[in-house]
Amino acid sequence: MNLMEYQGKELFKRSGIAVPSSHHALDPQAVAAFLEGALGQWVVKAQVLMGGRGKAGKIKMATGASQGRSVAQEIMATPMPPNRQNPAGEPVKSLLVEERLDIAKEAYCAITIDRAARKPVIVVSRFGGMDIEEVAEQHPESIAKFYVDTTIGYSAFMGRELAFAAQLDPGYRKEFPAILAALYDLFFRYGVKLVEINPLALTADGRVVASDAKVELDDDALFRFPEFAQWRAALPLDEDELLAAQAGVGIRNFRRFPGKVGTMANGAGLAMATMDAVANAGGEVADFLDVGGGANAQRVRNCYELVVNTTGAKVFFINIFGGITRGDEVARGIVTAMAQTASRKIPLVIRLTGTNEEEGRRILREAAMTPVETMDEGAREAVRLSHGA
Amino acid sequence: MNLMEYQGKELFKRSGIAVPSSHHALDPQAVAAFLEGALGQWVVKAQVLMGGRGKAGKIKMATGASQGRSVAQEIMATPMPPNRQNPAGEPVKSLLVEERLDIAKEAYCAITIDRAARKPVIVVSRFGGMDIEEVAEQHPESIAKFYVDTTIGYSAFMGRELAFAAQLDPGYRKEFPAILAALYDLFFRYGVKLVEINPLALTADGRVVASDAKVELDDDALFRFPEFAQWRAALPLDEDELLAAQAGVGIRNFRRFPGKVGTMANGAGLAMATMDAVANAGGEVADFLDVGGGANAQRVRNCYELVVNTTGAKVFFINIFGGITRGDEVARGIVTAMAQTASRKIPLVIRLTGTNEEEGRRILREAAMTPVETMDEGAREAVRLSHGA
Amino acid sequence: MSIFLDKNSKIIVQGITGAEGSYHTDRMYKYGTNLVGGVTPGKGGQRTPQGLAVFDTVREAVAATGATHTCIFVPPPFAADALYEAYDAGITFAVCITEGVPVHDTLKVVGATPGMRIIGPNCPGLASPGKALVGIMPGHVFKEGGIGVISRSGTLTYEIVDLLTRAGLGQSTCIGVGGDPIIGTTFVECLREFKNDPQTQAIVICGEIGGSDEEEAAAFVAEHLPELPVVAFIGGRNAPPGKSLGHAGAIISGSFGTPQSKIAAFEAAGIPVAQRPSEIPALLAQRLAVRA
Amino acid sequence: MSIFLDKNSKIIVQGITGAEGSYHTDRMYKYGTNLVGGVTPGKGGQRTPQGLAVFDTVREAVAATGATHTCIFVPPPFAADALYEAYDAGITFAVCITEGVPVHDTLKVVGATPGMRIIGPNCPGLASPGKALVGIMPGHVFKEGGIGVISRSGTLTYEIVDLLTRAGLGQSTCIGVGGDPIIGTTFVECLREFKNDPQTQAIVICGEIGGSDEEEAAAFVAEHLPELPVVAFIGGRNAPPGKSLGHAGAIISGSFGTPQSKIAAFEAAGIPVAQRPSEIPALLAQRLAVRA
């Protein structure tokens, strides 16, 4: 679960990390009300999860209530422009009105989990305000990393070492170890997967302030923090996750694509391999779907309806490796599911293995479905049928 | 720093450990005001650091405002009776008025630091409400211990293991691991040296409640918790610590005794050995005093005045092992200190070693003080002079 | 031989009386795994339908049975506690089946339990065919032999093992290392064990998108096992970046974890990458023939 | 030989430019200790009056000098951080002079730095006479020889060493283990090292009230060093229970840490306990004579 900037900054505040004074506004009117009588220049920022707000014109300066209202209207008028990962763009549902900092320097710092090292890693660069991958290409020597031993946790020397190694401006040095301490505390306390401050600003009057906030929470740890449930409601919906949840499968278990071959398999690895098999056979999948264990009638029906009703599938390729479940039981489940569903029917190609697999295939044949013996055969058959459809 | 029961329970509350509902009252009037209109029976408890409140009649039941006032008056009328460690007893300065629990079972649990294992140790017994040392003698099999690996910290299985090993009543089992989790969190978060719940009550209606609270904070960690400073003001003064602080030596560095030989040495180990030397020579010391490093004139003067003005010393035995400091400098410091002090004069016996020690002794002799060459010789001389005095 | 697990490994089940635990205990038992007992707090003294003793704590179970291995079936909030309990009781090998363990829990456990080998979490377990099976794998697909299998997934592993078995290629030990971003035992750590196992004559690495376990495994093979026949497969070649597919760990972030990088690493190490699972047995047979 | 410290040990000072640090650096330097540099954050690039290089971090100091030992002079809130920094940079031997370190800090550091030997905190350091001195002990009282000295105090140690030296009994290594309840290196751990040191012919144990270090040392001597001449002294025999005298660790709690228990343990192990420090040299000479 990725947090919006204003949510991340709320966590920063709780953890004692300095952020600009700000107000979260739901519409232009609220921006104007907040800026009524406020002195100086302010920044109005779209609250969205997509990157590239600046380039998209979604961050604007404003002085006074009237200008505040008009830039807010401009920002909210259009959604964030689409990109490859978000082909629909992202609507702007709220704004952060923030004190404009007089910034002297911009640095970068982040904490995330390094998979290979199996440790938290703190990343610091003296270049902030731009994409860290760009910095890594252009100024690799400016990036310093520290892998934290979880049995020790964070200790101030790590911040000192990083400040020296990344050659942070001396203006940062005094406060930096304490800022990282607070950031590590936040990272650890809330089960955070990534926390990033970019830029970490050094102001003209010598303060060190988190000018932006990016926080990714671990979905698997959210049960420990019921207080974040209200924040989730403010986030843009991931429609695939919502549909998966409605169908009773895990939110990571369903993902839609533009193709015509609907797929479903038991197990994430097998479901990925099923997608690959369809591609190998020259087709394009309509979805990734892991039905999980226990492929009983109700579950199969839910998954079938999910795919038929929400994707462009012209055929549905079911790939069940019957490790523990019996082939005939799975076949009966599928037949029952198809008898019960009120959704429109598309051809089914079913690959089924396991104990009593022949009996299973007989049941399927009698129900006029297409049983196959291998994943490759099933993929070829499904692709062939999708072309015909 | 040992906390009063009401302070300990305040920490318990913050940490999520159930305590009886209660009110901290500074006088009988406040007890009456709180009990005005309150239903049921209440317990009024003297807030003192000394043990044995029950036997001393400092815990009484009360129903209603009028009875509340009268038992409060009785409790506050006299101090806690003296014992060996507190020869002056302890005045009752405040009271805790507490809901009377309907107790079904009493257990014991505590967390402290085990010196030999260099680990936190959790101690649990199914016998609560009596002194744990008594339980250790009478029911050793009822005591279960768990040594916590600090790199892991507390985990719920420890509470389960302890509950089974100590054979806690099954009524405790469900809540116990979570109570210990909160207790360990408190122990770790506040740098606690000892936290004890005795008894941990199982009520007739199945709640598990901390019926008493004993918390010892680490003086060396208090700088991290400025909020506890206000609590210190409510604690009975340790006069020796107060005097030490006023004289500018560490609060652990001064301790008074009933004898006639005043002592002072540089270093705690040497100061203890000096006390022992006086005892070996047949005398009784008036104090333990570690002057610390840098025995300059000002410090020596402060220490001299401390001993002369607050103990029954008839002679002052100064034992300086000049490790790094020069003997002549120390001697000059002592002479200056004695010239400057306005306090009454008692004979000085001074053992002095180090570079230029002969020169030092010459300076002392010229100032009519008694220089000696060894600790034993000095102790004998000081004891002799104290008898003469 | 075999790695991690053999006929004599003494194994307990944590959460043995739960729905999942009791179901898979029965399957493991029927496979012939040397189960010696199980743990469910508050049910100490009971016996399972198989006659296995149930204990209140792992400490008691270890004291009574001499167990060294554990298989954990507990809900996600309690997985870390179960692993700490096993560690503290002297268990040296723990398989954590649980899916959905918070990543910080795993991170902390992995750092604080030196000397205990953890497989998983979010894994199907492992099997040394003909000797023992620990976890939720289907016993009937296995056949004892010389192929070591390491995989990040469950059913896909069974699929591949099944293909191997049908092709007459038996297995030494098959390990599902788990689909989470942080796991107790990586491919490289398995390979290090296979290196010293005389039974293992060849290895199948079944990777997927996300992370860099495959790249590290390829480098390890190139350096330490250049002579051993190894074949790889990568699942999720057609996955889009930024979205995890089923497994929390199967995610392409920026330029990390792409199938291209993994395939390139295997090819640079001289390891053929099967386009589809069904190609694996033939590729393996070919490599084994070249060697013989 | 000697233990922990010899002529070639490469030593840095953390907090080298502070008041305490610079004063004692000069004394250590003049004693002939092999100091190779020091650390003060923000003063990297400077040099001390002795010509020692100052670095911003321990990591840099170790990289530039190959240091293995450190002596820490920093205020109590920063002591744990200094120890972690040393550990992380690969230092294997740390002496922490700082008094007043929170006991939980020490507890956590001791648990989280396996493989690094820590002396202290709240200790005077150690000396291997004629070779090196690390800490705040006065160099002139020492003389090279065969007596190992372990002590929980500072000036009392110098007193005892001075008595030994005046009696012609030189020392191999003298260690002030520290006066706190939790310390990095106990008497037993020192004895274990002395056991393998050919230079050490006899040992003086200077204990005090509180804890059970003395009892454990007595048991260790009885079991592992029954032939070695050992003499003990206990400070604070006349201390009242419940109040710590000077050292946070010198406290009698209930029946724990009493001088009676310690004296009984030493006597049971055949170790004579001196009534006063001045008796130590004679007791030692007597035991050495019996052995010879």
Side-chain angles (χ1 to χ4, degrees):
Chain A
M1 171 169 156
N2 288 297
L3 297 185
M4 296 276 198
E5 178 190 8
Y6 77 93
Q7 297 169 335
K9 283 184 171 170
E10 170 61 31
L11 282 193
F12 281 12
K13 257 191 278 188
R14 281 194 211 172
S15 308
I17 299 166
V19 293
S21 55
S22 71
H23 178 72
H24 181 230
L26 291 177
D27 53 38
Q29 182 48 39
V31 174
F34 175 72
L35 289 182
E36 194 64 55
L39 298 176
Q41 209 174 20
W42 294 77
V43 190
V44 183
K45 298 158 125 177
Q47 294 301 287
V48 289
L49 291 184
M50 285 177 73
R53 290 180 300 177
K55 282 180 199 159
K58 299 299 187 189
I59 298 179
K60 291 186 188 292
M61 303 297 153
T63 307
S66 138
Q67 195 184 7
R69 181 187 290 105
S70 69
V71 302
Q73 279 165 342
E74 275 176 62
I75 292 171
M76 296 188 90
T78 54
M80 282 288 290
N83 63 16
R84 208 161 68 96
Q85 281 183 49
N86 290 273
E90 183 183 343
V92 181
K93 293 182 173 166
S94 74
L95 302 160
L96 191 65
V97 189
E98 209 171 62
E99 131 191 46
R100 188 184 178 188
L101 299 174
D102 186 0
I103 295 178
K105 294 272 174 187
E106 294 186 327
Y108 172 96
C109 71
I111 308 179
T112 187
I113 295 171
D114 187 275
R115 290 171 67 150
R118 284 183 288 200
K119 287 181 174 175
V121 59
I122 308 173
V123 183
V124 175
S125 169
R126 72 172 179 281
F127 293 103
M130 52 176 138
D131 195 71
I132 188 68
E133 276 162 23
E134 209 175 298
V135 175
E137 263 176 36
Q138 291 172 20
H139 310 283
E141 82 300 338
S142 81
I143 295 182
K145 293 184 180 187
F146 195 99
Y147 296 86
V148 180
D149 179 342
T150 52
T151 64
I152 290 178
Y154 177 80
S155 195
F157 81 88
M158 301 171 190
R160 292 197 303 271
E161 273 191 15
L162 284 165
F164 286 117
Q167 296 175 279
L168 287 194
D169 187 276
Y172 283 100
R173 281 205 198 133
K174 189 148 169 281
E175 290 184 43
F176 193 67
I179 289 168
L180 279 189
L183 204 63
Y184 191 87
D185 187 59
L186 181 160
F187 169 78
F188 187 76
R189 178 186 306 270
Y190 297 110
V192 164
K193 291 177 86 167
L194 167 71
V195 55
E196 188 181 75
I197 306 181
N198 187 20
L200 178 68
L202 176 65
T203 64
D205 57 348
R207 291 180 297 147
V208 181
V209 182
S211 183
D212 197 357
K214 187 172 172 189
V215 178
E216 184 189 352
L217 300 175
D218 178 9
D219 292 316
D220 289 334
L222 286 177
F223 70 89
R224 295 200 171 122
F225 311 101
E227 75 254 41
F228 295 150
Q230 50 156 343
W231 281 355
R232 185 180 273 284
L235 296 174
L237 281 180
D238 182 312
E239 271 191 61
D240 292 348
E241 293 185 2
L242 187 70
L243 291 168
Q246 285 166 352
V249 300
I251 57 167
R252 280 193 289 262
N253 290 13
F254 178 59
R255 193 59 61 191
R256 288 178 297 174
F257 298 103
K260 293 194 285 183
V261 181
T263 70
M264 170 181 113
N266 61 331
L270 191 62
M272 277 188 263
T274 306
M275 287 175 64
D276 295 339
V278 170
N280 284 340
E284 285 179 17
V285 296
D287 70 304
F288 160 92
L289 176 53
D290 171 12
V291 64
N296 60 28
Q298 184 59 53
R299 239 189 140 88
V300 171
R301 179 178 159 185
N302 290 350
C303 286
Y304 175 82
E305 291 174 356
L306 174 63
V307 171
V308 161
N309 298 332
T310 73
T311 75
K314 305 291 182 202
V315 57
F316 193 38
F317 176 23
I318 298 179
N319 185 10
I320 301 290
F321 188 89
I324 289 172
T325 38
R326 279 164 47 187
D328 55 331
E329 282 184 359
V330 174
R332 278 192 203 93
I334 294 172
V335 171
T336 307
M338 296 309 295
Q340 289 173 343
T341 184
S343 297
R344 81 188 153 86
K345 302 290 192 309
I346 58 173
L348 264 55
V349 176
I350 303 163
R351 180 279 181 120
L352 190 60
T353 72
T355 339
N356 295 355
E357 57 188 28
E358 292 81 8
E359 169 72 0
R361 291 197 203 107
R362 194 189 53 75
I363 294 167
L364 294 172
R365 249 187 310 268
E366 284 176 5
M369 296 167 193
T370 313
V372 295
E373 294 200 15
T374 69
M375 171 158 45
D376 295 342
E377 189 191 336
R380 279 193 302 270
E381 185 60 19
V383 171
R384 194 185 61 79
L385 287 170
S386 76
H387 288 318
Chain B
M1 169 170 158
N2 288 297
L3 297 186
M4 297 278 197
E5 179 191 8
Y6 77 92
Q7 297 168 336
K9 284 184 170 169
E10 169 62 31
L11 281 193
F12 282 12
K13 257 191 279 187
R14 280 194 212 173
S15 307
I17 299 165
V19 293
S21 56
S22 69
H23 178 73
H24 181 230
L26 292 175
D27 53 40
Q29 183 46 40
V31 173
F34 175 72
L35 289 182
E36 195 65 55
L39 297 175
Q41 208 174 22
W42 295 77
V43 191
V44 183
K45 296 158 125 179
Q47 294 303 288
V48 290
L49 290 184
M50 286 177 71
R53 288 180 300 176
K55 282 181 196 154
K58 299 298 187 191
I59 298 179
K60 291 186 188 292
M61 303 298 153
T63 307
S66 134
Q67 194 185 8
R69 181 188 289 105
S70 69
V71 303
Q73 279 164 345
E74 276 176 62
I75 292 171
M76 296 188 89
T78 55
M80 282 288 290
N83 64 16
R84 208 160 69 93
Q85 280 181 48
N86 289 273
E90 183 183 343
V92 181
K93 293 183 174 166
S94 74
L95 302 160
L96 191 65
V97 189
E98 208 170 61
E99 136 194 42
R100 190 186 177 187
L101 298 174
D102 186 1
I103 294 179
K105 294 272 175 188
E106 295 186 328
Y108 171 96
C109 72
I111 308 179
T112 185
I113 294 170
D114 187 277
R115 292 172 65 149
R118 284 182 289 200
K119 286 181 174 175
V121 59
I122 308 174
V123 183
V124 175
S125 169
R126 72 173 180 281
F127 293 103
M130 52 175 138
D131 196 73
I132 188 67
E133 275 161 22
E134 209 175 296
V135 175
E137 264 177 35
Q138 291 172 20
H139 309 282
E141 83 299 339
S142 82
I143 295 181
K145 293 184 181 185
F146 195 100
Y147 295 86
V148 180
D149 179 341
T150 50
T151 64
I152 290 177
Y154 177 80
S155 196
F157 81 88
M158 301 170 190
R160 291 197 303 273
E161 273 192 14
L162 284 165
F164 286 117
Q167 296 175 277
L168 287 195
D169 186 276
Y172 283 100
R173 279 202 200 137
K174 192 152 166 281
E175 291 186 43
F176 193 68
I179 289 169
L180 279 190
L183 204 63
Y184 191 87
D185 186 58
L186 181 159
F187 170 77
F188 187 75
R189 178 186 307 269
Y190 296 111
V192 164
K193 292 177 86 167
L194 167 72
V195 56
E196 188 182 74
I197 307 181
N198 187 19
L200 179 68
L202 176 64
T203 65
D205 57 349
R207 290 180 297 146
V208 181
V209 183
S211 183
D212 198 358
K214 187 171 171 187
V215 178
E216 183 188 353
L217 300 175
D218 178 8
D219 292 317
D220 289 333
L222 286 177
F223 70 90
R224 294 200 172 122
F225 311 103
E227 73 255 43
F228 294 151
Q230 51 157 344
W231 281 356
R232 184 180 276 283
L235 296 173
L237 280 180
D238 183 311
E239 270 192 63
D240 292 349
E241 292 184 3
L242 187 71
L243 291 168
Q246 285 167 351
V249 300
I251 58 167
R252 282 193 288 263
N253 290 12
F254 178 61
R255 194 57 64 191
R256 287 178 296 174
F257 298 104
K260 293 194 285 185
V261 181
T263 71
M264 171 180 112
N266 62 330
L270 192 62
M272 278 190 263
T274 305
M275 285 175 66
D276 296 340
V278 170
N280 283 339
E284 287 180 13
V285 294
D287 71 303
F288 160 91
L289 177 53
D290 170 11
V291 64
N296 61 28
Q298 185 58 50
R299 238 188 142 89
V300 170
R301 179 178 159 185
N302 288 350
C303 287
Y304 174 82
E305 291 173 357
L306 174 63
V307 171
V308 162
N309 297 332
T310 72
T311 76
K314 305 289 183 205
V315 55
F316 194 39
F317 176 23
I318 298 178
N319 185 9
I320 301 290
F321 188 88
I324 288 172
T325 39
R326 277 166 47 187
D328 56 332
E329 281 184 1
V330 176
R332 277 193 203 96
I334 295 171
V335 171
T336 308
M338 296 311 293
Q340 288 172 342
T341 185
S343 298
R344 79 188 155 85
K345 300 292 191 308
I346 57 173
L348 264 57
V349 175
I350 301 163
R351 182 278 183 122
L352 189 60
T353 72
T355 339
N356 296 356
E357 57 189 32
E358 292 80 8
E359 171 71 1
R361 290 195 203 107
R362 194 189 53 75
I363 293 168
L364 294 173
R365 253 188 307 269
E366 283 176 5
M369 296 166 194
T370 312
V372 295
E373 292 200 18
T374 69
M375 170 156 50
D376 295 342
E377 187 191 337
R380 279 193 303 270
E381 185 59 21
V383 171
R384 195 185 62 77
L385 287 171
S386 77
H387 288 318
Chain C
M1 272 171 66
S2 60
I3 69 170
F4 295 145
L5 190 64
D6 65 26
K7 253 196 145 40
N8 303 314
S9 309
K10 292 184 173 175
I11 299 152
I12 57 167
V13 174
Q14 283 173 260
I16 195 166
T17 64
E20 286 275 294
S22 59
Y23 179 73
H24 290 288
T25 293
D26 193 53
R27 297 195 64 86
M28 288 189 256
Y29 182 81
K30 285 179 178 150
Y31 189 82
T33 305
N34 183 26
L35 295 178
V36 297
V39 176
T40 296
K43 303 216 168 163
Q46 300 186 1
R47 292 215 166 246
T48 68
Q50 300 81 23
L52 297 169
V54 180
F55 300 90
D56 285 320
T57 66
V58 179
R59 183 178 301 282
E60 288 169 359
V62 167
T65 66
T68 51
H69 287 45
T70 185
C71 186
I72 295 173
F73 294 94
V74 302
F78 314 120
D81 182 57
L83 285 160
Y84 287 133
E85 180 172 5
Y87 178 71
D88 191 71
I91 290 286
T92 54
F93 190 93
V95 177
C96 183
I97 305 300
T98 313
E99 181 178 353
V101 178
V103 66
H104 275 260
D105 286 15
T106 308
L107 198 62
K108 218 181 140 222
V109 171
V110 166
T113 57
M116 179 166 83
R117 161 92 39 219
I118 297 171
I119 307 289
N122 188 18
C123 79
L126 74 164
S128 293
K131 304 184 183 101
L133 180 153
V134 174
I136 60 173
M137 292 186 175
H140 64 82
V141 299
F142 295 102
K143 177 188 163 180
E144 192 164 359
I147 315 294
V149 179
I150 50 182
S151 171
R152 279 168 65 185
S153 78
T155 33
L156 180 59
T157 313
Y158 321 153
E159 172 92 38
I160 287 170
V161 169
D162 192 47
L163 290 164
L164 293 174
T165 296
R166 285 171 198 250
L169 295 162
Q171 305 91 39
S172 55
T173 303
C174 301
I175 306 141
V177 299
D180 276 3
I182 303 293
I183 49 175
T185 300
T186 59
F187 283 166
V188 167
E189 290 162 318
C190 295
L191 291 171
R192 200 168 279 138
E193 298 289 324
F194 277 131
K195 187 174 189 291
N196 301 318
D197 177 37
Q199 184 182 336
T200 302
Q201 302 299 314
I203 290 171
V204 175
I205 301 175
C206 176
E208 64 190 28
I209 52 162
S212 57
D213 234 21
E214 291 77 8
E215 287 86 336
E216 283 150 31
F220 184 89
V221 169
E223 189 176 345
H224 300 285
L225 298 165
E227 300 300 314
L228 200 74
V230 179
V231 171
F233 174 79
I234 304 291
R237 295 183 183 212
N238 296 284
K243 306 283 181 191
S244 58
L245 293 187
H247 290 157
I251 183 164
I252 300 170
S253 322
S255 54
F256 295 104
T258 63
Q260 291 74 23
S261 150
K262 294 173 191 298
I263 292 167
F266 282 126
E267 288 179 347
I271 300 170
V273 182
Q275 182 83 3
R276 37 180 72 85
S278 57
E279 293 172 7
I280 294 172
L283 281 170
L284 209 51
Q286 202 180 317
R287 300 271 296 169
L288 282 163
V290 169
R291 201 197 186 192
Chain D
M1 271 172 63
S2 61
I3 68 169
F4 295 143
L5 190 65
D6 66 24
K7 251 194 145 41
N8 304 314
S9 309
K10 291 184 175 175
I11 299 152
I12 57 166
V13 174
Q14 283 173 262
I16 195 166
T17 62
E20 287 275 295
S22 60
Y23 179 73
H24 290 289
T25 293
D26 193 55
R27 298 195 65 84
M28 289 189 257
Y29 182 81
K30 285 181 177 148
Y31 189 80
T33 305
N34 184 24
L35 295 179
V36 297
V39 176
T40 297
K43 302 216 170 165
Q46 299 187 3
R47 294 217 163 243
T48 69
Q50 302 80 24
L52 298 169
V54 180
F55 300 89
D56 285 320
T57 66
V58 179
R59 183 177 303 282
E60 288 170 358
V62 167
T65 67
T68 53
H69 287 45
T70 185
C71 187
I72 294 174
F73 293 94
V74 301
F78 314 121
D81 182 57
L83 285 160
Y84 287 133
E85 180 173 3
Y87 178 70
D88 191 71
I91 291 285
T92 54
F93 191 94
V95 177
C96 184
I97 305 300
T98 312
E99 181 178 353
V101 178
V103 65
H104 275 258
D105 285 14
T106 308
L107 200 61
K108 221 183 137 222
V109 171
V110 166
T113 57
M116 179 168 83
R117 162 90 40 219
I118 298 171
I119 306 289
N122 187 18
C123 79
L126 74 164
S128 293
K131 302 184 183 98
L133 180 153
V134 174
I136 60 173
M137 292 184 172
H140 64 82
V141 300
F142 295 103
K143 177 188 163 179
E144 191 163 1
I147 316 293
V149 179
I150 51 181
S151 170
R152 281 168 64 186
S153 78
T155 33
L156 181 59
T157 314
Y158 319 153
E159 172 93 36
I160 288 169
V161 168
D162 191 47
L163 290 164
L164 293 174
T165 296
R166 284 173 200 248
L169 295 161
Q171 305 90 39
S172 54
T173 302
C174 302
I175 305 142
V177 297
D180 276 2
I182 303 292
I183 50 175
T185 299
T186 60
F187 283 166
V188 166
E189 290 162 317
C190 294
L191 290 170
R192 199 168 280 136
E193 298 289 325
F194 276 132
K195 187 174 187 295
N196 301 316
D197 177 36
Q199 186 183 335
T200 301
Q201 302 300 315
I203 290 172
V204 175
I205 301 175
C206 176
E208 65 189 29
I209 53 162
S212 57
D213 235 21
E214 292 76 8
E215 287 87 335
E216 283 150 30
F220 183 89
V221 168
E223 189 177 343
H224 300 285
L225 298 165
E227 302 298 315
L228 200 74
V230 179
V231 171
F233 174 80
I234 304 291
R237 294 185 183 209
N238 297 285
K243 305 283 181 192
S244 58
L245 293 187
H247 291 157
I251 183 164
I252 300 170
S253 320
S255 54
F256 293 103
T258 63
Q260 292 74 24
S261 151
K262 294 172 189 301
I263 291 167
F266 281 127
E267 287 178 348
I271 299 170
V273 181
Q275 182 81 4
R276 37 181 71 84
S278 56
E279 293 172 8
I280 294 172
L283 281 170
L284 208 52
Q286 202 180 316
R287 300 270 295 170
L288 282 164
V290 169
R291 204 201 183 192

